[in-house]
Amino acid sequence: MSAKTDRVEINEVVLRDGFQNEPDFVPTEEKIRLADGLSRTGIRRLEVSSFVSPKAIPNLRDAADVLRGIKRVPGVRYTALVPNVRGAERALQSVVDEVNLVMSIGERHNLANMRMTCDQSLAQFREIMTVIAGSGIFVNGTIATTFGCPFEGRQPVERVLWAIDTYREMGIEGITIADTIGVANPRQVGELTTTIFRHHPDLPLTLHLHNTRDLGLANALAAYDAGIRSFDSALGGIGGCPYAPGATGNVCTEDLVHMFHNCGIDTGGDLPALIGLSGGLPALLGHATPGYVVKAGTSDRVYA
């Protein structure tokens, strides 16, 4: 492992990417309660919701109400996913700190997920950038299916670099590369990250991982060694992509923080507080969650 031990940033996505896949509506007041709890755990970036059509994602139909109801903590960046111009307008009205735009570089997945071709998505992004201009809101662009598309297989590195170049040319500031369906392996993650930084040395780069094949933590450590310092994760390891057959939950926040802390890497996260919040999810959702540390305890746990 690299000798570098500088701090990483955790972008908590349970309220959006986690809840969007739940079959039952999570009450607005419970989302607000969880957001307020997460804001006090040392997490510096919190994706609160998505301004998407209620017909497409019913569980996120209360995005504006949640953002209106939370108690904002100084130093925490509150973000929202924005799929189109109307969503950007609603995000502006809700006073978010950051908007996240998403396009799959797998054309067939983008059609299933966004109901647009990649060219149509990019045209939407340009309109959104016009709406956002002058607001001071940070714009992040996610490249979904970076490591593999469920309908087309692995994507060429050149296509990933094309997406980054196109995003940056239109003024998108941060980039997230997403293993949307959980097919990445540590060597692939390390090699792609190294290639991206060779082309864009100072790029604000985030990694979004799914734990579909139980490689999420290994992939995160490989990315850290290659230079990534920002990671998406979901409390309890819940979530997934509705338009990716077989895809399971996100990499688990408390498991990710536990691993980094054991490696001597600071996340700023309060691990006991995160475990406590995660422990309440099964009662809220009506089912068990995939996370390990919340069940087994931390690795320094000792028994009488």
Side-chain angles (χ1 to χ4, degrees):
M1 180 176 157
S2 167
K4 292 170 66 177
T5 57
D6 44 319
R7 180 171 168 170
V8 303
E9 177 184 77
I10 303 296
N11 177 31
E12 176 55 63
V13 301
V14 67
L15 293 158
R16 196 277 301 172
D17 200 350
F19 287 168
Q20 72 177 10
N21 247 28
E22 289 300 314
D24 299 322
F25 182 73
V26 179
T28 303
E29 60 272 18
E30 292 295 338
K31 291 173 183 164
I32 293 171
R33 180 194 62 78
L34 183 57
D36 288 345
L38 287 165
S39 293
R40 297 189 295 269
T41 63
I43 297 295
R44 311 316 294 170
R45 203 165 161 212
L46 181 60
E47 190 173 48
V48 179
S49 195
S50 172
F51 287 99
V52 67
S53 166
K55 293 180 181 178
I57 309 289
N59 226 326
L60 302 182
R61 63 179 182 261
D62 56 355
D65 293 332
V66 176
L67 275 156
R68 189 181 304 113
I70 61 177
K71 295 172 183 165
R72 304 192 185 211
V73 173
V76 178
R77 193 180 348 169
Y78 295 94
T79 79
L81 188 146
V82 170
N84 49 41
V85 171
R86 175 58 183 146
E89 293 169 344
R90 293 174 62 202
L92 281 173
Q93 293 166 0
S94 296
V95 196
V96 298
D97 302 308
E98 175 184 318
V99 295
N100 185 29
L101 315 181
V102 179
M103 178 187 75
S104 298
I105 54 172
E107 284 276 5
R108 292 176 62 190
H109 186 263
N110 203 57
L111 283 168
N113 192 35
M114 307 302 294
R115 292 174 173 77
M116 288 184 278
T117 65
C118 288
D119 284 344
Q120 289 169 331
S121 284
L122 293 172
Q124 281 279 322
F125 290 179
R126 291 185 177 93
E127 291 186 50
I128 291 169
M129 294 302 292
T130 301
V131 171
I132 296 294
S135 67
I137 292 175
F138 186 90
V139 182
N140 187 80
T142 292
I143 303 170
T145 64
T146 296
F147 298 92
C149 170
F151 311 117
E152 300 171 12
R154 185 172 290 197
Q155 297 295 305
V157 173
E158 293 74 20
R159 187 157 177 82
V160 179
L161 295 174
W162 161 79
I164 294 173
D165 289 341
T166 306
Y167 281 13
R168 300 284 281 175
E169 285 166 6
M170 67 176 69
I172 293 172
E173 298 161 271
I175 303 292
T176 297
I177 51 174
D179 185 19
T180 310
I181 58 172
V183 293
N185 64 71
R187 180 165 292 176
Q188 180 190 15
V189 168
E191 289 174 351
L192 180 59
T193 300
T194 300
T195 299
I196 291 171
F197 281 135
R198 189 162 58 243
H199 286 79
H200 299 276
D202 300 317
L203 181 66
L205 188 63
T206 297
L207 180 62
H208 180 99
L209 293 167
H210 284 255
N211 202 38
T212 310
R213 291 162 181 85
D214 204 24
L215 286 173
L217 295 184
N219 287 335
L221 195 57
Y224 178 87
D225 286 343
I228 289 185
R229 295 295 182 267
S230 178
F231 297 86
D232 285 0
S233 60
L235 196 73
I238 67 170
C241 178
Y243 304 102
T248 55
N250 296 274
V251 68
C252 175
T253 299
E254 61 271 21
D255 291 355
L256 184 67
V257 170
H258 178 263
M259 179 195 73
F260 277 135
H261 288 187
N262 276 356
C263 292
I265 301 165
D266 184 22
T267 67
D270 181 340
L271 183 57
L274 289 167
I275 292 172
L277 289 172
S278 180
L281 285 177
L284 175 62
L285 303 176
H287 61 77
T289 57
Y292 290 103
V293 173
V294 71
K295 302 181 185 79
T298 57
S299 58
D300 59 356
R301 182 177 182 177
V302 294
Y303 297 87

